[in-house]
Amino acid sequence: LRPALGLAVGAAMAALLAQGGEAQAANAPISLDLPVDCTPGRTCWISKFVDLDPGEGVRDYMCNGRANDGHTGVDIALRDRKAMEEGVRVLAAAPGVVKGTRDGMRDVSVRKDGRESLNGLDCGNGVAIAHDGGWVTQYCHMRRGSIRVRSGEQVERGQELGLVGMSGNTEYPHVHVAVRHKGKLFDPFLGLDGRPPASAGCGPGKVPLWTAAALEALAYTPVAIYNVGFSTTPPKAEDMRSGRFRGTELPGDAPAILLWAEIFGVEAGDELRLRLVAPDGTVIVDHKKTLEKRKARWFQYAGRKRRGAAWPEGTYRAEVSLARNTGGKTVHVSVTRELEVR
């Protein structure tokens, strides 16, 4: 992968914002399948979309803020590093010829060594594929040593390219998928519409680049509550992100029970609630918090110390929910989990 195929955004964003008329002149649109062997909403989640805002603001195709300023692709993330280590395949979204690959970069959070250490190779390990009609797809942040294809190789739709990793400019395991036509960046949810950011209306374009099945699988959610679990002591974010607190059983003599959650795409004013109910219906945790600013990723926990000799045995029900007021309407997103105490 040449640095020019990385995540540099200056020329790419300019091209995206100018593509309105040019998009209609593109050859037959590419048709993209799901590029990761996972189940969106269960084993993987979209953490970021393409940023359509021309300035310093952030705007995804649904007119929300699920992106970073200047973000050039769709990020599909895993729950934690344990899921990455177990191995999740990155797939060719469409048939084509491998244009370039890179491998050998470490799977480590960019916060550890700093972005400067990447020397411009923000994409990390990855694959670029040239398709008919001048289309190119690029897959970034793949796992070191996992690349399964080589330059010049013909690949079929759905063929394994490698594994999801966290190489390059990333803090968590995911694959960044970018789509270009003759060097111009496209949002696969907008497709050939090329709708400029200032136009009215939100939602997918009339001719999205995803197949119908992929578009359904990647259905938009304003926020993603993607990682929820339990612990007996206040969890550190790094431990949780490593996959350490995946268990759904705790002993009756646990000193405390804590419910934790990590969320993609929170906004200022969001009302977050963590609730845990004992087998007899007693509410043992009911924590509410109003979030003060937009964050790409938010970690929260709440819990209660044991007050008797032991916790009541049985099934505890946990719910993590978020309420957001948008345009006078309140949107609710929630997930539930069960905990066994024995």
Side-chain angles (χ1 to χ4, degrees):
L1 290 176
R2 295 176 292 126
L5 289 179
L7 303 184
V9 300
M13 284 306 297
L16 175 65
L17 301 178
Q19 75 181 15
E22 296 175 347
Q24 302 302 326
N27 293 334
I30 193 170
S31 178
L32 302 173
D33 278 339
L34 192 67
V36 186
D37 185 14
C38 63
T39 303
R42 293 186 180 180
T43 59
C44 62
W45 296 261
I46 292 182
S47 58
K48 297 175 188 173
F49 295 87
V50 176
D51 177 26
L52 299 171
D53 189 279
E56 296 181 358
V58 173
R59 175 183 180 272
D60 61 35
Y61 79 96
M62 289 294 289
C63 304
N64 295 319
R66 295 281 308 278
N68 282 351
D69 188 23
H71 195 248
T72 62
V74 178
D75 287 356
I76 302 176
L78 305 183
R79 175 180 178 180
D80 52 33
R81 287 194 295 274
K82 185 175 181 180
M84 180 192 81
E85 291 161 2
E86 291 168 345
V88 177
R89 301 187 303 155
V90 177
L91 309 175
V97 177
V98 178
K99 187 175 182 179
T101 67
R102 181 188 299 123
D103 204 342
M105 295 180 68
R106 294 190 305 154
D107 294 290
V108 61
S109 172
V110 70
R111 286 183 176 271
K112 183 173 182 179
D113 298 329
R115 189 173 179 181
E116 299 76 15
S117 67
L118 300 176
N119 295 318
L121 304 180
D122 286 19
C123 180
N125 305 318
V127 176
I129 299 177
H131 309 276
D132 289 344
W135 293 92
V136 173
T137 54
Q138 183 185 9
Y139 310 79
C140 295
H141 312 310
M142 294 171 67
R143 199 168 110 183
R144 180 165 66 176
S146 76
I147 305 300
R148 298 288 183 263
V149 295
R150 62 184 184 277
S151 294
E153 180 179 346
Q154 176 73 42
V155 296
E156 301 303 320
R157 182 186 301 274
Q159 182 174 332
E160 180 180 349
L161 305 178
L163 301 175
V164 176
M166 55 182 296
S167 58
N169 185 20
T170 181
E171 299 176 22
Y172 52 88
H174 73 279
V175 63
H176 171 101
V177 181
V179 183
R180 295 178 175 84
H181 181 262
K182 296 182 179 180
K184 297 178 177 62
L185 183 69
F186 279 75
D187 182 338
F189 288 93
L190 292 185
L192 298 187
D193 273 14
R195 183 172 65 237
S199 68
C202 308
K206 295 178 181 178
V207 187
L209 304 182
W210 299 116
T211 62
L215 192 63
E216 181 179 3
L218 297 171
Y220 187 91
T221 58
V223 64
I225 304 171
Y226 72 97
N227 202 359
V228 176
F230 309 93
S231 65
T232 60
T233 59
K236 295 181 180 179
E238 280 307 304
D239 285 339
M240 178 273 300
R241 292 166 186 167
S242 73
R244 176 182 172 188
F245 295 120
R246 276 191 172 191
T248 57
E249 290 189 7
L250 291 177
D253 63 353
I257 296 179
L258 294 99
L259 168 64
W260 56 263
E262 192 160 33
I263 305 166
F264 285 131
V266 304
E267 296 278 353
D270 284 352
E271 298 286 345
L272 179 61
R273 186 177 188 181
L274 280 67
R275 196 166 185 265
L276 183 63
V277 181
D280 64 359
T282 301
V283 178
I284 63 171
V285 175
D286 193 359
H287 177 78
K288 300 177 183 178
K289 183 178 180 64
T290 301
L291 306 185
E292 297 180 353
K293 58 183 178 180
R294 170 183 292 169
K295 295 284 287 186
R297 186 169 56 155
W298 184 267
F299 175 56
Q300 188 73 43
Y301 68 85
R304 178 174 168 179
K305 293 181 179 180
R306 191 185 76 236
R307 295 177 180 174
W311 295 100
E313 292 188 352
T315 302
Y316 290 64
R317 180 179 176 82
E319 181 180 26
V320 178
S321 61
L322 184 142
R324 175 178 299 168
N325 189 290
T326 303
K329 297 182 179 180
T330 300
V331 176
H332 294 273
V333 178
S334 66
V335 301
T336 59
R337 295 287 187 271
E338 289 187 347
L339 170 69
E340 294 295 327
V341 174
R342 303 188 186 282

